[in-house]
Amino acid sequence: MSQPVIAATGLYVPPDSISNNELVDAFNAYVGAFNADHATAIAAGDMAPLLPSSADFIEKASGIKSRHVVNKNGILDPAVMRPEIPERTNDELSVLAEMAVLAARDALARWGGNVSDIGAVICAASNMQRPYPAIAIEVQNALGVRGFAFDMNVACSSATFGIKTAADFISSGSAKAVLVVNPEICSGHLNFRDRDSHFIFGDVATAVIVADEALADGGWSILGTRLKTQFSNNIRNNFGFLNRCAPEGIGAADKLFVQEGRKVFREVVPMVIDMIIAHAEHLGVDPKGLKRLWLHQANINMNDMIGRKVLDRVPTPQENVIILDEFANTSSAGSIIAFHKANSDFAVGETGLICSFGAGYSAGTVFVRKR
Ligand SMILES: CC(C)(COP(=O)(O)OP(=O)(O)OC[C@H]1O[C@@H](n2cnc3c(N)ncnc32)[C@H](O)[C@@H]1OP(=O)(O)O)[C@@H](O)C(=O)NCCC(=O)NCCS
C-alpha cells in the first residue's frame, strides 16, 4: 500500500475585504430604512422593529474582524445586500472553477511535481455553482489533468472528507496524486439582512495535493483520517433544484443559510473533542503532544474550548491557529487556510491535526507528521 502525503497546499484570496464596521454600517442603514418604511405598523404594535447589529458583538461572539469577498459593493449596498457576480457564458471559466484553478496553481507551484502525475481532481466544497458538468471536471480541463474528476459536498467538512478520499485513492493505487480544491463563495448563500448571521462567512479557495510519498519532496505523511456524520437541522440550507416545483412558491430567506448557533456550539464541540481524542488514541498519538491544531474556523470560542480539552492546557496562539479574524468562516477552506499559513516551522517528525466540523453534522480528522 502506498503512503499518502500532503505534498503541497495553495490559497486564493479574493482582493475585496469587508471590516465588521463596514458590514454593520450597511446592515444598520438597511434596518433604518426598513423601520422607517414600516413606521406606522411598528408604532401600532403590528410589527417588531428590526434591531441594529454591532461590530463589538460580532468580534466578541465569534472572533471575526473582517472577511474577504468576491464582490464588496453589492454586499455593502443596503438596496442590494448580496454579492453581484455577473453571469458568464458557457465558454468562459465559471467563477467557482476560476477560484479553484488559482488556488490549485499556487499548490502546483509549491509542489514542483508534474501535472501529468495527477490522476484525479476532487472539488470538495459547500456550494457548487451548478449541478453539472462538475466544477471539478472544469478545473481538470483548465489545468490539463488526466484521469477523472468529481464534486463532493459535505459542507464545512468537505476538505477533510476530500483529503480522506484522496488518501484512500493513493493507498489503493487508484491514483499517484490527487488534487483537492475547496472554492467557497460563502457570501452567495448568506442572508446579509439577517442580524444573527450576516457577519459569519467569507469567500476564498484552497487546494491540497495529496500524493504518493514517492512524488512528494518533504510534505506531510497522513498518519490517519477519520470521518463522522450525525444528522442535525441546526445548520441548514434548503436551496435546491426542487425549489421551483413548490406550488406555494420559492419562499425567500429560508433558501439561504440558517442556523441555531448556540445549539451548534453546544452539540458540536463535545462531539469533536471526543472524536479527536479517540482517533489520536487509535493512532498511538498523544494529543497533548500535538505541536499544532489547524481547526475549522467558525468561532474562536469553539476553537479555544476544543484546544483546551485536546491539549489539556490553554493553547498558545501558535498551537491553536486562528485565521477567522481576517477570513471569517470560509466553510471547508478554514482549516486548510490555517494549515497553509502556519506550518513552516515544523521539524521532521513533529505532528499536528487538521480538523473540520460543520453542517450535517459532519466532522473529519486528519493527523499529519512532517517528513
Ligand atoms: C453565531 C454565533 C456567533 C452567535 O453567538 P451567540 O453568543 O450564540 O449569540 P446569540 O445568537 O445567542 O445572541 C446573543 C445576543 O446577541 C444578540 N445578537 C445577535 N446577533 C447580533 C448582532 N449581529 N449584533 C448585536 N447583537 C446581536 C442576540 O439578539 C442576543 O440578544 P439577547 O441576549 O438580548 O437575546 C455563535 O452561536 C456561533 O458561532 N455558533 C457556532 C456556529 C457554527 O459553528 N456554525 C457552523 C457554521 S458552518
Side-chain angles (χ1 to χ4, degrees), residues 16-354:
D16 278 4
S17 174
I18 298 178
S19 69
N20 284 348
N21 281 331
E22 289 174 301
L23 193 74
V24 164
D25 284 351
F27 180 88
N28 290 347
Y30 156 72
V31 166
F34 180 94
N35 288 343
D37 282 352
H38 298 87
T40 312
I42 291 168
D46 296 334
M47 185 186 264
L50 295 183
L51 299 173
S53 183
S54 136
D56 284 348
F57 167 84
I58 294 170
E59 188 174 338
K60 195 153 171 270
S62 69
I64 297 165
K65 297 179 184 168
S66 64
R67 67 285 294 144
H68 293 275
V69 291
V70 293
N71 173 262
K72 176 171 180 166
N73 292 342
I75 293 170
L76 292 186
D77 181 342
V80 180
M81 296 186 89
R82 61 175 188 275
E84 292 188 306
I85 306 171
E87 199 164 348
R88 297 182 178 183
T89 68
N90 290 354
D91 299 327
E92 294 174 282
L93 197 60
S94 57
V95 180
L96 208 67
E98 182 176 86
M99 288 172 60
V101 164
L102 290 166
R105 290 218 163 101
D106 185 28
L108 286 165
R110 291 167 196 272
W111 179 38
N114 292 320
V115 170
S116 58
D117 284 326
I118 297 177
V121 178
I122 301 172
C123 180
S126 284
N127 289 285
M128 298 303 161
Q129 192 168 344
R130 56 170 185 269
Y132 47 82
I135 300 295
I137 302 178
E138 197 180 1
V139 172
Q140 176 194 19
N141 183 54
L143 293 172
V145 173
R146 293 185 301 204
F148 60 93
F150 60 91
D151 294 346
M152 58 184 275
N153 176 351
V154 200
C156 291
S157 299
S158 297
T160 53
F161 277 59
I163 291 171
K164 199 257 188 297
T165 306
D168 288 352
F169 283 162
I170 305 298
S171 300
S172 65
S174 302
K176 286 197 171 111
V178 180
L179 170 67
V180 183
V181 288
N182 322 105
E184 294 285 8
I185 306 183
C186 298
S187 61
H189 78 152
L190 184 52
N191 184 355
F192 286 97
R193 295 192 170 96
D194 174 34
R195 177 176 177 258
D196 289 339
S197 64
H198 75 114
F199 54 89
I200 285 180
F201 287 112
D203 304 334
V204 82
T206 51
V208 180
I209 296 172
V210 183
D212 181 302
E213 61 185 337
L215 291 180
D217 180 16
W220 304 78
S221 295
I222 296 177
L223 301 183
T225 52
R226 197 173 266 190
L227 311 179
K228 181 180 170 71
T229 49
Q230 182 184 303
F231 186 73
S232 168
N233 275 321
N234 289 331
I235 314 169
R236 191 154 177 132
N237 179 340
N238 281 329
F239 180 79
F241 80 106
L242 290 182
N243 294 157
R244 64 184 279 275
C245 306
E248 63 274 24
I250 192 166
D254 68 340
K255 303 298 184 288
L256 297 171
F257 166 88
V258 286
Q259 75 167 352
E260 296 278 352
R262 277 276 152 104
K263 288 187 187 162
V264 175
F265 201 115
R266 265 202 319 269
E267 293 172 6
V268 168
V269 167
M271 180 181 107
V272 169
I273 292 167
D274 290 350
M275 185 175 169
I276 294 172
I277 291 174
H279 192 191
E281 263 170 27
H282 175 78
L283 293 170
V285 169
D286 177 9
K288 297 185 202 111
L290 289 168
K291 183 176 168 91
R292 196 143 301 158
L293 303 175
W294 301 285
L295 301 178
H296 174 51
Q297 306 282 315
N299 183 299
I300 195 170
N301 304 312
M302 277 175 122
N303 289 18
D304 282 350
M305 215 174 272
I306 294 169
R308 273 204 305 276
K309 285 282 184 194
V310 170
L311 300 184
D312 199 25
R313 61 178 180 274
V314 178
T316 65
Q318 286 72 32
E319 286 174 323
N320 197 4
V321 182
I322 294 296
I323 55 90
L324 59 66
D325 51 345
E326 177 187 341
F327 287 88
N329 182 344
T330 50
S331 195
S332 69
S335 58
I336 306 301
I337 304 173
F339 176 70
H340 178 82
K341 282 183 158 284
N343 70 29
S344 60
D345 59 330
F346 267 58
V348 171
E350 289 183 322
T351 306
L353 168 71
I354 300 170

